[in-house]
Amino acid sequence: VSREQAIELARKGRDAALELYFQSLRIPSVSALPEHAADCRRNADFLVEELGRAGLTVRLVEGDGHPTVYGEWLGVPGKPTLLVYGHYDVQPPDPLEEWVTPPFEPTVRDGVVVARGAEDSKGNHMAVLAAVRHAMAAGGGSLPINLKVAIEGEEEGGGNVLPTFVAREAAALACDCVLVLDGGFVVPGVPCLELATRGIVYTEVEITGPAIDVHSGSYGGVSPNPFNTAGWIIAGLKSPDGKVLIPGFYDAVREAPEAELRSWRSSGITEKQILEETGAPELAGEDEYPMLVRMWARPTLDVHGIRGGFTGEGTKTVIPARAVMKVSMRLVADQDPLRIFQLFKKHVESLATAGTRIQVRQLGPPSSPVNFGIDHPGARAAAAAFEKAWGKPVMYTRAGGSIPVAEDFAKHLRTGMVGCGFSQPGGRAHSPNEQMPLDAFHRGTEMLIHLFWEFAELSG
Amino acid sequence: VSREQAIELARKGRDAALELYFQSLRIPSVSALPEHAADCRRNADFLVEELGRAGLTVRLVEGDGHPTVYGEWLGVPGKPTLLVYGHYDVQPPDPLEEWVTPPFEPTVRDGVVVARGAEDSKGNHMAVLAAVRHAMAAGGGSLPINLKVAIEGEEEGGGNVLPTFVAREAAALACDCVLVLDGGFVVPGVPCLELATRGIVYTEVEITGPAIDVHSGSYGGVSPNPFNTAGWIIAGLKSPDGKVLIPGFYDAVREAPEAELRSWRSSGITEKQILEETGAPELAGEDEYPMLVRMWARPTLDVHGIRGGFTGEGTKTVIPARAVMKVSMRLVADQDPLRIFQLFKKHVESLATAGTRIQVRQLGPPSSPVNFGIDHPGARAAAAAFEKAWGKPVMYTRAGGSIPVAEDFAKHLRTGMVGCGFSQPGGRAHSPNEQMPLDAFHRGTEMLIHLFWEFAELSG
């Protein structure tokens, strides 16, 4: 009865829930840019205030970076405990000129809200806030399960505040399932549960040549050129057919089990869909592997940009003094990020050419690939809750991206885990005009309400 | 007698000459940046004013770009005519943070003036202004030769104003020698005359992949990545041992004659000197060729920068929608720039990888390599004048860089040509803290005065 009342309250309270969601989207909580540090804290304070108002006991977890918001309600000893993870920080909004409306002024068009963070990931944890408020109200100040909520501010930029917290207070965070709420749907309208994430190692390769930018007429033919060398390094790291050329890179790669491969084959996710989402004229990569295997179960390597040299309008004939290249690798179980970074560094250093010096460094903390497991009450409850909210059975997937903290949860909490989220295909995470359908936000709120009760029943 | 008087006047008038030189250095005449167009015009107006005051008949030559300043004095029919070429435009000053003093506030330290344009090339043509003023005064309003002066504003940025003028008014520009005054010394204190310039083709290669920047977690392994492809293209254009890999690239390369190679071997220019000038830890390039051959008589290819992607602080996990790479090639006789661009374009297009599209365009006008010739009165007069001003015989060199207009002079005027200038090694053309010794400026003024009289005598 309380469950139905909570759902009823959620439906009546949609405008109020959206208002809070939009308030959070107006905060430019860009964790990677130092000039937005105060905005990150403002977002954290906002969550402390609102989660507290909803009935949780909330505190800011401080550390060397952006704070984590931690709230809990432990009013039903003996009942299972769910830990919900989210992040309030967002990616930088550039290139700004490609946004149709300003990134931090949420705008609704055709039932879709457009803003940085709309789907990644404010649309997820602001639905948690709504669900807790309504479930508490329906239960007379009580929830059917014990709830812990950890919302960090360093998912997009890297940081140690939440990992340190998890390691230090693992006992306090003990739970029966972690809901890693930072994912989404891969087929429109079909909820999905993620069984694994890829890890990441993000690096910066600094190549120096001449001590100053020099004239390419005067010195072309004898001066080392760090940008030429950057090209040779890229070509030495990966071949055009998608193979990473670092010796030992693939040694620990575990193939996906046949059961997962089968579910991917019947997923209905088509190459056409991925081409539409990315706008690429055709796909690239290891064409001996099916598309979803390449996205979910194969490691890869991408160059993100190269700082230095002349990139303005017109012609400037310099041989640049330096090129600073950002390169990351996506990893799958059982690749170890530290081992992979060592192999990468050694290989890149071996690619130095005459007159160049190379420095290789890691940016942000590396993240291990994690397999979540599916055979536990939390995952079953989430599947049931999704089916109730969307009217369709879930599909099982993996996340191609990294959730660094999933590794910490796996290591310190040793409990069931499940990844999911409410974003829809084409939501443009990390890109201009990021968006989230309002319907997905509202159904997500209801899914979470159902989850509280399903988890209580399934674990009972 | 007039010659000695002019030299005497030059020595007494050094402060006034420097004042005018510094006035010109304060004008940020950066031709490649649209926001400095008015500054370029201001520099041209300044030269019209001052060359007119010195006794030339001066006019602005207008066209689709920055104006050329043209002045002449034709008061001694029957005497030879010298055409002096210079440019008043300068390279962009970035990176600004590496300048010890602001680039457009000339500052003298230890007898050296530091400013953008100090040596490339305001120190050259402002010495012409001083030489004309003093020679006119010494000659009672008359010079020993007929003089034409063309100072353009598009050498660094590319443009058609001067080339159009040369083609259109070739008859009016007729002369017995062109003094291409945009070079300098390669050994400290040893004047040199240049016998050739390298040509240039400057290109922009735009590589597109996904229509928008996409998440490297979600799409890494299937999305094309324009930055990865940029690396494969660079590696396909040139090998780490300095060989350009474009089919047909070397077909028209003419080897330097033994006489030139001999003079280079005895030049005293050492690898140590070039390493000190560039600050590179060692030289790169085709090590089967001597250093000076690589700098002066071999073509090459350099990447100047790659626009796009994420290059800010921290980590952003995007696969960029596009990479725009600036690449130029230095050419030697008899490589044809149009033919080389065609070969380049075809080869780069052949290097497109799955899911990428490539557009190749030329930036600025291409420039042909030019051999100037040494056996003509202008070159002999310049050699004699340099020896009088510096007290040492000249050495013969080539210019590794391009002087696009030398090609137009060669084509339309069909006369003797000689390249030289007063800048000294380590002058940092195109780099932060560009500089010119005041002594070189003053001796350069005297060299030009000597040249007027030597040319009159040698051609008599």
Side-chain angles (χ1 to χ4, degrees):
Chain A
V1 178
S2 296
R3 184 202 298 218
E4 281 71 44
Q5 282 179 347
I7 296 289
E8 180 82 12
L9 287 172
R11 289 181 182 174
K12 286 183 183 158
R14 287 182 170 185
D15 287 349
L18 284 185
E19 177 49 35
L20 285 169
Y21 175 30
F22 289 5
Q23 274 185 42
S24 91
L25 291 173
R26 288 188 193 105
I27 305 173
S29 48
V30 182
S31 55
L33 301 176
E35 63 267 32
H36 285 293
D39 295 313
C40 290
R41 182 160 294 272
R42 188 152 57 90
N43 202 141
D45 290 340
F46 167 82
L47 288 169
V48 168
E49 172 82 15
E50 293 302 331
L51 287 170
R53 201 193 305 273
L56 304 189
T57 303
V58 197
R59 60 181 166 119
L60 272 187
V61 178
E62 299 286 355
D64 181 21
H66 307 299
T68 289
V69 176
Y70 178 70
E72 61 183 21
W73 184 87
L74 306 174
V76 284
K79 286 287 182 182
T81 301
L82 178 70
L83 170 59
V84 180
Y85 162 81
H87 66 88
Y88 63 78
D89 63 321
V90 299
Q91 282 276 318
D94 50 300
L96 281 175
E97 65 275 14
E98 292 185 18
W99 284 81
V100 175
T101 50
F104 298 106
E105 296 176 17
T107 310
V108 177
R109 283 198 300 275
D110 300 331
V112 172
V113 59
V114 178
R116 170 58 83 230
E119 68 157 37
D120 182 18
S121 187
K122 294 179 178 179
N124 289 318
H125 63 251
M126 294 307 290
V128 174
L129 174 67
V132 171
R133 278 172 47 232
H134 299 310
M136 281 281 191
S142 183
L143 296 175
I145 54 170
N146 298 297
L147 184 67
K148 300 178 179 181
V149 177
I151 305 177
E152 70 159 324
E154 303 182 310
E155 199 276 334
E156 304 291 3
N160 278 312
V161 175
L162 181 57
T164 303
F165 176 56
V166 172
R168 193 181 61 220
E169 305 196 29
L173 291 172
C175 60
D176 301 287
C177 179
V178 181
L179 185 75
V180 177
L181 198 60
D182 188 30
F185 290 32
V186 292
V187 172
V190 180
C192 69
L193 293 185
E194 291 165 349
L195 300 189
T197 62
R198 290 200 288 195
I200 187 170
V201 175
Y202 200 109
T203 74
E204 201 166 65
V205 176
E206 178 162 5
I207 307 154
T208 52
I212 52 173
D213 289 358
V214 297
H215 192 304
S216 70
S218 306
Y219 301 107
V222 296
S223 172
N225 181 332
F227 269 82
N228 290 4
T229 300
W232 297 320
I233 289 175
I234 293 168
L237 282 170
K238 193 176 179 182
S239 65
D241 62 2
K243 281 274 169 287
V244 176
L245 303 174
I246 301 165
F249 183 77
Y250 292 103
D251 283 358
V253 170
R254 198 175 357 141
E255 294 219 358
E258 180 53 32
E260 287 193 57
L261 294 172
R262 196 164 45 235
S263 96
W264 301 349
R265 280 195 292 272
S266 64
S267 70
I269 303 172
T270 63
E271 183 168 320
K272 181 161 174 290
Q273 178 188 339
I274 301 300
L275 288 175
E276 282 173 6
E277 285 173 29
T278 61
E282 64 178 327
L283 297 183
E286 302 172 291
D287 59 12
E288 71 271 36
Y289 289 95
M291 180 182 76
L292 291 180
V293 175
R294 278 185 269 163
M295 292 166 67
W296 295 343
R298 291 291 293 173
T300 190
L301 179 150
D302 277 294
V303 178
H304 305 291
I306 310 179
R307 188 168 68 239
F310 179 69
T311 57
E313 287 297 310
T315 59
K316 190 179 181 190
T317 49
V318 287
I319 296 177
R322 76 190 55 233
V324 183
M325 177 163 63
K326 287 176 193 275
V327 186
S328 76
M329 287 157 283
R330 297 284 168 177
L331 309 180
V332 300
D334 297 316
Q335 287 178 301
D336 172 53
L338 295 179
R339 166 87 179 139
I340 292 293
F341 177 71
Q342 285 161 357
L343 294 174
F344 172 83
K345 182 169 188 288
K346 185 176 168 196
H347 187 59
V348 168
E349 287 168 349
S350 79
L351 296 169
T353 55
T356 58
R357 297 280 181 270
I358 292 180
Q359 284 188 299
V360 181
R361 45 186 175 259
Q362 263 186 283
L363 292 187
S367 164
S368 292
V370 180
N371 282 352
F372 290 176
I374 186 59
D375 190 25
H376 58 90
R380 288 195 293 273
F386 261 124
E387 186 161 353
K388 285 206 156 57
W390 260 271
K392 281 189 189 152
V394 299
M395 58 185 286
Y396 295 104
T397 66
R398 291 184 170 192
S402 306
I403 307 173
V405 80
E407 180 189 353
D408 299 285
F409 291 138
K411 184 173 163 195
H412 296 288
L413 305 187
R414 298 173 179 281
T415 184
M417 200 170 343
V418 63
C420 60
F422 311 125
S423 70
Q424 299 296 310
R428 296 171 169 250
H430 294 212
S431 296
N433 303 308
E434 179 179 344
Q435 52 194 253
M436 173 94 160
L438 298 184
D439 176 70
F441 176 78
H442 296 312
R443 283 185 198 262
T445 304
E446 295 185 20
M447 177 272 175
L448 290 160
I449 291 169
H450 284 297
L451 173 61
F452 300 157
W453 272 273
E454 293 288 336
F455 194 37
E457 290 168 13
L458 275 169
S459 305
Chain B
V1 178
S2 297
R3 184 201 297 218
E4 281 70 43
Q5 283 180 346
I7 296 289
E8 180 81 13
L9 287 172
R11 290 181 182 175
K12 285 182 182 159
R14 288 182 170 185
D15 287 350
L18 285 185
E19 177 49 35
L20 286 168
Y21 174 30
F22 289 4
Q23 275 186 41
S24 91
L25 291 173
R26 289 188 193 104
I27 306 173
S29 48
V30 182
S31 55
L33 302 176
E35 62 267 34
H36 285 291
D39 295 314
C40 290
R41 181 160 294 272
R42 189 152 58 90
N43 201 140
D45 290 341
F46 167 81
L47 288 169
V48 168
E49 173 83 15
E50 294 301 331
L51 288 170
R53 202 193 304 272
L56 304 189
T57 303
V58 197
R59 61 182 164 115
L60 272 188
V61 178
E62 299 285 355
D64 182 21
H66 307 299
T68 288
V69 176
Y70 178 69
E72 61 182 20
W73 183 86
L74 306 175
V76 285
K79 287 286 184 182
T81 302
L82 179 71
L83 170 59
V84 180
Y85 162 81
H87 66 88
Y88 64 79
D89 63 320
V90 299
Q91 283 274 321
D94 50 302
L96 281 175
E97 64 276 16
E98 294 186 16
W99 284 82
V100 175
T101 50
F104 299 107
E105 296 177 17
T107 310
V108 177
R109 283 198 300 275
D110 298 331
V112 171
V113 58
V114 178
R116 170 57 85 230
E119 68 157 36
D120 183 17
S121 184
K122 294 178 177 179
N124 289 318
H125 63 251
M126 293 308 288
V128 174
L129 173 66
V132 171
R133 278 172 47 232
H134 299 310
M136 280 279 190
S142 182
L143 296 174
I145 55 169
N146 298 295
L147 184 67
K148 300 177 178 181
V149 177
I151 306 177
E152 70 160 323
E154 302 182 312
E155 200 275 335
E156 303 292 3
N160 277 311
V161 175
L162 181 57
T164 303
F165 175 56
V166 173
R168 193 180 62 219
E169 304 196 30
L173 291 172
C175 60
D176 301 288
C177 180
V178 182
L179 185 76
V180 177
L181 199 59
D182 189 29
F185 290 33
V186 291
V187 174
V190 180
C192 70
L193 293 185
E194 292 165 350
L195 301 187
T197 61
R198 290 199 287 196
I200 186 170
V201 176
Y202 201 109
T203 74
E204 203 165 66
V205 176
E206 178 162 5
I207 307 154
T208 52
I212 53 173
D213 289 358
V214 297
H215 192 304
S216 69
S218 306
Y219 300 108
V222 296
S223 172
N225 181 332
F227 270 82
N228 289 4
T229 300
W232 296 322
I233 288 175
I234 292 168
L237 283 169
K238 194 177 180 181
S239 65
D241 60 3
K243 281 276 169 285
V244 176
L245 304 173
I246 301 165
F249 183 77
Y250 291 103
D251 284 356
V253 171
R254 199 176 355 141
E255 294 220 355
E258 180 53 31
E260 286 193 57
L261 293 172
R262 196 163 46 234
S263 96
W264 301 350
R265 281 195 292 271
S266 63
S267 70
I269 303 172
T270 62
E271 184 169 318
K272 181 162 174 289
Q273 178 187 339
I274 301 300
L275 289 175
E276 281 173 6
E277 284 172 31
T278 61
E282 66 177 327
L283 297 183
E286 301 171 292
D287 59 12
E288 70 272 37
Y289 289 96
M291 179 183 77
L292 292 179
V293 175
R294 279 185 268 163
M295 290 167 69
W296 294 344
R298 291 289 294 173
T300 190
L301 179 150
D302 277 293
V303 178
H304 305 292
I306 310 178
R307 188 168 66 241
F310 179 69
T311 58
E313 287 298 310
T315 61
K316 191 180 179 190
T317 49
V318 287
I319 295 177
R322 76 189 55 230
V324 182
M325 176 163 65
K326 288 175 192 276
V327 186
S328 76
M329 287 156 283
R330 297 285 170 177
L331 309 181
V332 300
D334 297 315
Q335 287 178 300
D336 173 52
L338 296 179
R339 166 88 180 137
I340 292 294
F341 177 70
Q342 285 160 356
L343 295 174
F344 172 84
K345 183 169 188 290
K346 187 177 166 194
H347 187 58
V348 169
E349 286 168 350
S350 79
L351 296 170
T353 55
T356 59
R357 297 282 181 267
I358 292 180
Q359 284 189 300
V360 181
R361 45 187 175 259
Q362 264 187 281
L363 292 187
S367 165
S368 291
V370 179
N371 281 353
F372 289 177
I374 186 60
D375 189 26
H376 58 90
R380 288 195 295 272
F386 262 125
E387 187 161 354
K388 285 205 157 57
W390 261 271
K392 281 190 188 152
V394 298
M395 58 184 286
Y396 295 103
T397 66
R398 291 182 170 193
S402 306
I403 307 173
V405 80
E407 180 189 356
D408 300 284
F409 291 138
K411 184 173 164 196
H412 295 288
L413 304 186
R414 299 174 179 281
T415 186
M417 201 170 344
V418 63
C420 60
F422 312 126
S423 70
Q424 299 297 309
R428 298 172 169 248
H430 294 211
S431 295
N433 304 309
E434 180 178 344
Q435 53 193 254
M436 173 93 160
L438 298 183
D439 176 70
F441 176 78
H442 296 312
R443 282 184 199 263
T445 303
E446 295 185 21
M447 177 273 176
L448 290 160
I449 291 170
H450 284 297
L451 173 61
F452 299 158
W453 271 274
E454 293 289 336
F455 194 37
E457 290 168 14
L458 276 169
S459 306

